[in-house]
Amino acid sequence: PAVFATSFRKPLDRALSQFRFECIEDRGCKIKDVHKWWSKRQDLWNVYTKTFADPEVGARRYFRGKFSKERREFMATAIDTLSKFHIVLSMEWLAYGGPQVRSILGFDDISALTTRVRPHIIQAKRNDGQENNNLGSASIAKASWVPKEYLDAAQYKKMSEDLALDELLTDVARRMFLERLVCDDMAGNIAPQ
């Protein structure tokens, strides 16, 4: 049988990381201004919610404005879909995911959960002292851009509003992760490491 797994990262952190990866590190994007880039990347607005709700083509208009009923339905569908996944991880708490990764996915070696992976060889050669991350992406301080520090107040507000449903769904995913971790651990379903 199939096993369904997914992971979530804080939406604003993920969006800013994508801007940095695509544009600042010159991977095809020529836009160096996050304001201009974000206005052109509406496909990233509430992408988690759209992915898990799987709305009909053209439903983008429902994610803004007066369509609160539709947004509630999308959110309910997204949460229902997410709840069917066997494992839901939080990128900021990967170090705690080991027991679930072992028991659900059957991986013996879980060291990858706290090993920093860089997408390109040149980056892999960097030695910034963060090759091992105690918590997952939450412990990569030197490489991560903190949205409140990087973005001006107006852009922070704009991106936060454009990602509001994803923020809610991420909170649900993180809660699922923690509940499953604690409930399985308390029930004795996860072997100690």
Side-chain angles (χ1 to χ4, degrees):
V3 174
F4 294 95
T6 191
S7 61
F8 279 72
R9 184 175 179 192
K10 291 180 183 175
L12 198 50
D13 291 358
R14 179 194 41 78
L16 196 54
S17 178
Q18 187 156 348
F19 166 70
R20 179 179 174 177
F21 181 81
E22 289 177 0
C23 304
I24 302 303
E25 296 181 1
D26 295 317
R27 293 192 177 86
C29 173
K30 304 296 182 207
I31 302 169
K32 302 299 181 195
D33 181 292
V34 71
H35 304 81
K36 291 177 185 172
W37 174 81
W38 188 245
S39 68
K40 294 180 181 296
R41 292 305 308 266
Q42 292 183 20
D43 59 312
L44 297 177
W45 298 8
N46 291 310
V47 69
Y48 287 157
T49 307
K50 290 175 198 167
T51 299
F52 287 93
D54 194 24
E56 68 208 33
V57 174
R60 181 185 293 173
R61 69 183 181 278
Y62 296 128
F63 282 85
R64 309 240 347 124
K66 62 184 176 185
F67 301 102
S68 62
K69 178 180 179 273
E70 288 82 0
R71 284 193 297 277
R72 281 193 304 275
E73 289 171 5
F74 292 150
M75 185 59 71
T77 301
I79 292 169
D80 184 54
T81 302
L82 185 61
S83 71
K84 294 174 183 168
F85 275 62
H86 297 91
I87 186 168
V88 178
L89 296 172
S90 170
M91 296 302 290
E92 291 80 17
W93 301 333
L94 284 178
Y96 302 110
Q100 292 180 33
V101 169
R102 270 198 185 107
S103 68
I104 297 168
L105 299 179
F107 296 164
D108 291 325
D109 181 4
I110 56 168
S111 62
L113 294 175
T114 55
T115 301
R116 180 139 181 230
V117 177
R118 293 189 173 103
H120 297 285
I121 292 170
I122 293 171
Q123 292 176 328
K125 292 179 184 175
R126 275 192 232 152
N127 184 5
D128 61 8
Q130 296 189 108
E131 284 65 38
N132 290 309
N133 308 305
N134 296 331
L135 296 173
S137 67
S139 63
I140 308 175
K142 292 180 197 170
S144 296
W145 288 358
V146 177
K148 274 203 169 188
E149 294 174 7
Y150 183 79
L151 301 170
D152 61 60
Q155 188 65 19
Y156 182 86
K157 181 178 186 292
K158 167 99 174 85
M159 291 176 75
S160 294
E161 289 172 355
D162 294 337
L163 294 167
L165 296 178
D166 277 3
E167 289 287 349
L168 293 171
L169 190 59
T170 299
D171 285 347
V172 169
R174 290 164 69 110
R175 181 174 175 151
M176 282 181 188
F177 169 73
L178 291 172
E179 285 178 351
R180 291 173 181 181
L181 181 67
V182 170
C183 291
D184 282 346
D185 185 37
M186 298 299 283
N189 294 334
I190 297 179
Q193 294 185 14

